[in-house]
Amino acid sequence: MAIPTGSVIADIGCGQGVFFPHLLKTAPKSIIGVDLSGEMLRYAREKFSDGRIQLIQGDVLEAELPRLDAAVLYNCYPHLLDKAALARRLAELVRPGGIAVIAHGAGKAVINARHRDGLPFTLSVPLEEPEAEAEKFAPWFRADRMEDAEGWYLLRMVRTEG
């Protein structure tokens, strides 16, 4: 993901903090884990005592967050239903030159197959090709790395001045 050392990082949809160890390897200034579920954050609190990690229960679209060097959405992006609102919110939060990353531990086909649940309400939106997802962020971000492989999905975008 090429997150610079000393960054303020938001792990959006952090859940139990499964991605915290990877983010800690970047030697961040701080990691702000944001999740809707208080129960998931309770697990994260039990597993991680690093003083650089702060946990916030809430919706990223409304949560009070500082200016960010990086925003990471690992294995949660399909569950954020309003992509336009998410793009606008990340544009507010991520400083120019900062990055936003959408990543999954599997490719698009696997992710989309997992989310076909047949429920009478929408829990997720199918993941599109990285180029199509990048277009949703284009007014504010420029994609600089896009991959859809069997074992991962990655869209890394740099915040532009606009």
Side-chain angles (χ1 to χ4, degrees), residues 77-121:
Y77 181 72
H79 301 292
L80 298 163
L81 305 181
D82 189 343
K83 305 303 189 205
L86 175 64
R88 284 190 304 274
R89 180 65 170 144
L90 291 183
E92 292 171 3
L93 293 171
V94 177
R95 66 166 178 75
I99 63 170
V101 178
I102 297 167
H104 292 277
K108 176 178 70 70
V110 172
I111 296 300
N112 288 341
R114 285 182 189 157
H115 292 136
R116 285 188 206 114
D117 51 28
L119 294 173
F121 51 88

Coordinates of all heavy atoms in Angstrom, one line a residue, residues 77-121:
Y77 N -15.4 -2.5 1.9 CA -16.0 -1.6 0.9 C -17.3 -2.0 0.3 O -18.2 -1.1 0.2 CB -14.9 -1.4 -0.2 CG -15.3 -0.5 -1.3 CD1 -15.3 0.9 -1.1 CD2 -15.6 -0.9 -2.6 CE1 -15.7 1.8 -2.1 CE2 -16.0 -0.1 -3.6 CZ -16.0 1.3 -3.4 OH -16.3 2.2 -4.4
P78 N -17.6 -3.2 0.0 CA -18.9 -3.5 -0.5 C -20.1 -3.2 0.4 O -21.2 -3.0 0.0 CB -18.9 -5.0 -0.8 CG -17.4 -5.3 -1.0 CD -16.7 -4.4 0.0
H79 N -19.8 -3.1 1.7 CA -20.9 -2.8 2.7 C -21.1 -1.3 2.9 O -22.1 -1.0 3.6 CB -20.5 -3.4 4.1 CG -20.3 -4.9 4.0 ND1 -21.4 -5.8 3.7 CD2 -19.2 -5.7 4.1 CE1 -20.9 -7.0 3.6 NE2 -19.6 -7.0 3.9
L80 N -20.3 -0.5 2.3 CA -20.6 1.0 2.3 C -21.4 1.3 1.0 O -20.9 1.3 -0.1 CB -19.2 1.7 2.3 CG -18.4 1.4 3.6 CD1 -17.0 1.8 3.4 CD2 -19.1 2.1 4.8
L81 N -22.7 1.4 1.2 CA -23.6 1.4 0.1 C -23.6 2.7 -0.7 O -23.8 2.6 -1.9 CB -25.0 1.1 0.6 CG -25.2 -0.2 1.4 CD1 -26.6 -0.4 1.9 CD2 -24.7 -1.4 0.6
D82 N -23.4 3.8 -0.1 CA -23.4 5.1 -0.8 C -22.0 5.5 -1.2 O -21.3 6.2 -0.5 CB -24.1 6.2 0.0 CG -24.4 7.5 -0.7 OD1 -23.8 7.7 -1.8 OD2 -25.2 8.3 -0.2
K83 N -21.6 5.0 -2.4 CA -20.2 5.3 -2.8 C -19.9 6.7 -3.1 O -18.8 7.2 -2.8 CB -19.9 4.5 -4.1 CG -20.1 3.0 -4.0 CD -19.4 2.3 -2.8 CE -19.5 0.8 -3.0 NZ -19.4 0.1 -1.7
A84 N -20.9 7.5 -3.6 CA -20.7 8.9 -3.8 C -20.5 9.7 -2.5 O -19.6 10.5 -2.4 CB -21.9 9.5 -4.6
A85 N -21.2 9.3 -1.5 CA -21.1 10.0 -0.2 C -19.7 9.6 0.4 O -19.0 10.4 1.0 CB -22.2 9.6 0.8
L86 N -19.3 8.3 0.3 CA -18.0 7.9 0.8 C -16.9 8.6 0.1 O -16.0 9.1 0.7 CB -17.8 6.4 0.5 CG -16.5 5.8 0.9 CD1 -16.2 6.0 2.4 CD2 -16.4 4.4 0.5
A87 N -17.0 8.8 -1.2 CA -15.9 9.5 -2.0 C -15.8 10.9 -1.5 O -14.7 11.4 -1.3 CB -16.2 9.4 -3.5
R88 N -16.9 11.6 -1.3 CA -16.9 13.0 -0.8 C -16.3 13.1 0.6 O -15.5 14.0 0.9 CB -18.3 13.6 -0.8 CG -18.9 14.0 -2.2 CD -20.2 14.8 -2.1 NE -21.2 14.1 -1.4 CZ -22.1 13.2 -1.9 NH1 -22.0 12.9 -3.2 NH2 -23.0 12.6 -1.2
R89 N -16.7 12.1 1.4 CA -16.2 12.1 2.8 C -14.7 11.9 2.8 O -14.0 12.6 3.6 CB -17.0 11.1 3.6 CG -16.5 11.0 5.1 CD -16.8 12.3 5.8 NE -16.6 12.1 7.2 CZ -16.1 13.0 8.1 NH1 -15.9 14.2 7.6 NH2 -15.9 12.7 9.3
L90 N -14.2 11.0 2.1 CA -12.8 10.7 2.0 C -12.0 11.9 1.5 O -10.9 12.3 1.9 CB -12.4 9.5 1.2 CG -12.9 8.1 1.9 CD1 -12.4 7.0 1.0 CD2 -12.4 8.0 3.3
A91 N -12.6 12.6 0.5 CA -12.0 13.9 0.0 C -11.9 14.9 1.1 O -10.9 15.7 1.1 CB -12.8 14.4 -1.2
E92 N -12.9 15.0 2.0 CA -12.8 15.9 3.1 C -11.7 15.5 4.1 O -11.1 16.4 4.7 CB -14.1 15.9 3.9 CG -15.3 16.5 3.2 CD -16.6 16.2 3.9 OE1 -16.6 15.7 5.0 OE2 -17.7 16.6 3.4
L93 N -11.5 14.2 4.3 CA -10.7 13.8 5.4 C -9.2 13.6 5.0 O -8.3 13.9 5.7 CB -11.1 12.4 5.9 CG -12.5 12.4 6.6 CD1 -12.9 11.0 6.9 CD2 -12.3 13.2 7.9
V94 N -8.9 13.1 3.7 CA -7.6 12.8 3.3 C -7.0 14.1 2.7 O -7.5 14.8 1.8 CB -7.6 11.7 2.3 CG1 -6.2 11.5 1.8 CG2 -8.2 10.4 2.9
R95 N -5.8 14.5 3.3 CA -5.1 15.7 2.8 C -4.6 15.5 1.4 O -4.4 14.4 0.9 CB -3.9 16.0 3.7 CG -2.8 14.9 3.7 CD -1.5 15.3 4.3 NE -0.6 14.3 4.2 CZ 0.1 13.9 3.1 NH1 -0.1 14.5 2.0 NH2 0.9 12.9 3.1
P96 N -4.4 16.6 0.6 CA -3.9 16.5 -0.7 C -2.5 15.8 -0.6 O -1.7 16.1 0.2 CB -3.7 17.9 -1.2 CG -4.8 18.6 -0.4 CD -4.9 18.0 0.9
G97 N -2.3 14.8 -1.5 CA -1.1 14.0 -1.5 C -1.2 12.8 -0.7 O -0.4 11.9 -0.8
G98 N -2.3 12.7 0.2 CA -2.5 11.5 1.0 C -3.1 10.4 0.1 O -3.4 10.6 -1.1
I99 N -3.4 9.3 0.7 CA -3.9 8.1 -0.1 C -5.1 7.6 0.6 O -5.4 7.6 1.7 CB -2.8 7.0 -0.2 CG1 -2.4 6.4 1.1 CG2 -1.6 7.6 -1.0 CD1 -1.5 5.2 1.0
A100 N -5.9 6.9 -0.3 CA -7.1 6.1 0.1 C -6.9 4.8 -0.6 O -6.5 4.7 -1.8 CB -8.4 6.8 -0.4
V101 N -7.1 3.7 0.2 CA -6.9 2.4 -0.3 C -8.1 1.5 -0.1 O -8.6 1.5 1.0 CB -5.7 1.7 0.4 CG1 -5.5 0.3 -0.1 CG2 -4.4 2.5 0.2
I102 N -8.6 0.9 -1.1 CA -9.6 -0.1 -1.0 C -8.9 -1.5 -1.3 O -8.3 -1.6 -2.4 CB -10.7 0.1 -2.1 CG1 -11.4 1.5 -1.8 CG2 -11.7 -1.0 -2.1 CD1 -12.3 2.0 -2.9
A103 N -9.0 -2.4 -0.3 CA -8.3 -3.7 -0.5 C -9.1 -4.8 0.1 O -9.9 -4.6 1.0 CB -6.9 -3.6 0.3
H104 N -8.9 -5.9 -0.5 CA -9.6 -7.2 -0.1 C -8.6 -8.3 -0.1 O -7.7 -8.3 -1.0 CB -10.8 -7.5 -1.0 CG -11.9 -6.5 -0.9 ND1 -12.8 -6.6 0.1 CD2 -12.2 -5.5 -1.6 CE1 -13.7 -5.6 -0.1 NE2 -13.3 -4.9 -1.1
G105 N -8.8 -9.3 0.7 CA -7.9 -10.4 0.8 C -8.3 -11.5 -0.2 O -7.9 -12.7 -0.1
A106 N -9.0 -11.1 -1.2 CA -9.4 -12.0 -2.3 C -9.8 -11.1 -3.5 O -10.0 -9.9 -3.4 CB -10.6 -12.9 -1.9
G107 N -9.9 -11.7 -4.7 CA -10.3 -11.0 -5.9 C -11.7 -10.7 -6.0 O -12.5 -11.2 -5.2
K108 N -12.1 -9.9 -6.9 CA -13.5 -9.4 -7.1 C -14.5 -10.6 -7.2 O -15.5 -10.6 -6.6 CB -13.6 -8.6 -8.4 CG -14.9 -8.1 -8.7 CD -14.9 -7.2 -9.9 CE -14.6 -7.9 -11.2 NZ -15.6 -8.8 -11.7
A109 N -14.2 -11.6 -8.0 CA -15.1 -12.7 -8.2 C -15.4 -13.4 -6.9 O -16.6 -13.7 -6.6 CB -14.5 -13.7 -9.2
V110 N -14.4 -13.7 -6.1 CA -14.6 -14.3 -4.8 C -15.4 -13.4 -3.8 O -16.3 -13.9 -3.2 CB -13.2 -14.7 -4.1 CG1 -13.4 -15.2 -2.7 CG2 -12.5 -15.7 -5.0
I111 N -15.0 -12.1 -3.8 CA -15.7 -11.2 -2.9 C -17.2 -11.1 -3.3 O -18.1 -11.2 -2.4 CB -15.1 -9.8 -2.9 CG1 -13.6 -9.8 -2.4 CG2 -15.9 -8.8 -2.2 CD1 -13.5 -10.3 -1.0
N112 N -17.5 -11.0 -4.5 CA -18.9 -10.9 -5.0 C -19.7 -12.1 -4.7 O -20.8 -12.1 -4.4 CB -19.0 -10.4 -6.4 CG -18.6 -9.0 -6.6 OD1 -18.6 -8.2 -5.7 ND2 -18.2 -8.6 -7.8
A113 N -19.0 -13.3 -4.9 CA -19.7 -14.6 -4.6 C -20.1 -14.7 -3.1 O -21.1 -15.2 -2.7 CB -18.8 -15.7 -5.0
R114 N -19.2 -14.2 -2.2 CA -19.5 -14.2 -0.8 C -20.7 -13.3 -0.4 O -21.4 -13.6 0.6 CB -18.3 -13.6 0.0 CG -17.1 -14.6 0.1 CD -16.0 -14.0 0.9 NE -14.9 -14.8 0.8 CZ -13.6 -14.4 1.0 NH1 -13.4 -13.2 1.4 NH2 -12.6 -15.3 0.9
H115 N -20.9 -12.3 -1.2 CA -22.0 -11.3 -0.8 C -23.3 -11.6 -1.5 O -24.2 -10.8 -1.3 CB -21.5 -9.9 -1.2 CG -20.4 -9.4 -0.3 ND1 -19.3 -8.8 -0.7 CD2 -20.2 -9.6 1.1 CE1 -18.5 -8.5 0.3 NE2 -19.0 -9.0 1.4
R116 N -23.4 -12.7 -2.2 CA -24.7 -13.1 -2.8 C -25.5 -13.9 -1.8 O -25.3 -15.1 -1.7 CB -24.5 -13.9 -4.1 CG -24.1 -13.1 -5.2 CD -24.1 -14.0 -6.5 NE -23.1 -13.4 -7.4 CZ -22.0 -13.9 -7.8 NH1 -21.7 -15.2 -7.4 NH2 -21.2 -13.3 -8.6
D117 N -26.2 -13.2 -0.9 CA -26.9 -13.9 0.2 C -28.3 -14.1 0.0 O -29.0 -14.8 0.8 CB -26.6 -13.1 1.5 CG -26.9 -11.6 1.4 OD1 -27.8 -11.3 0.6 OD2 -26.2 -10.9 2.1
G118 N -29.0 -13.4 -1.0 CA -30.4 -13.7 -1.2 C -31.3 -13.1 -0.1 O -32.5 -13.4 -0.1
L119 N -30.8 -12.2 0.7 CA -31.7 -11.6 1.7 C -32.6 -10.6 1.1 O -32.3 -10.0 0.0 CB -30.8 -10.9 2.8 CG -30.0 -11.8 3.6 CD1 -29.1 -11.0 4.5 CD2 -30.9 -12.7 4.5
P120 N -33.7 -10.3 1.7 CA -34.7 -9.3 1.1 C -34.3 -7.9 1.2 O -35.0 -7.0 1.0 CB -36.0 -9.6 1.8 CG -35.6 -10.2 3.1 CD -34.3 -10.9 2.9
F121 N -33.1 -7.6 1.7 CA -32.6 -6.2 1.9 C -31.1 -6.2 1.4 O -30.5 -7.3 1.4 CB -32.8 -5.7 3.3 CG -32.2 -6.6 4.3 CD1 -30.9 -6.6 4.8 CD2 -33.1 -7.6 4.9 CE1 -30.4 -7.4 5.7 CE2 -32.6 -8.5 5.9 CZ -31.3 -8.4 6.3

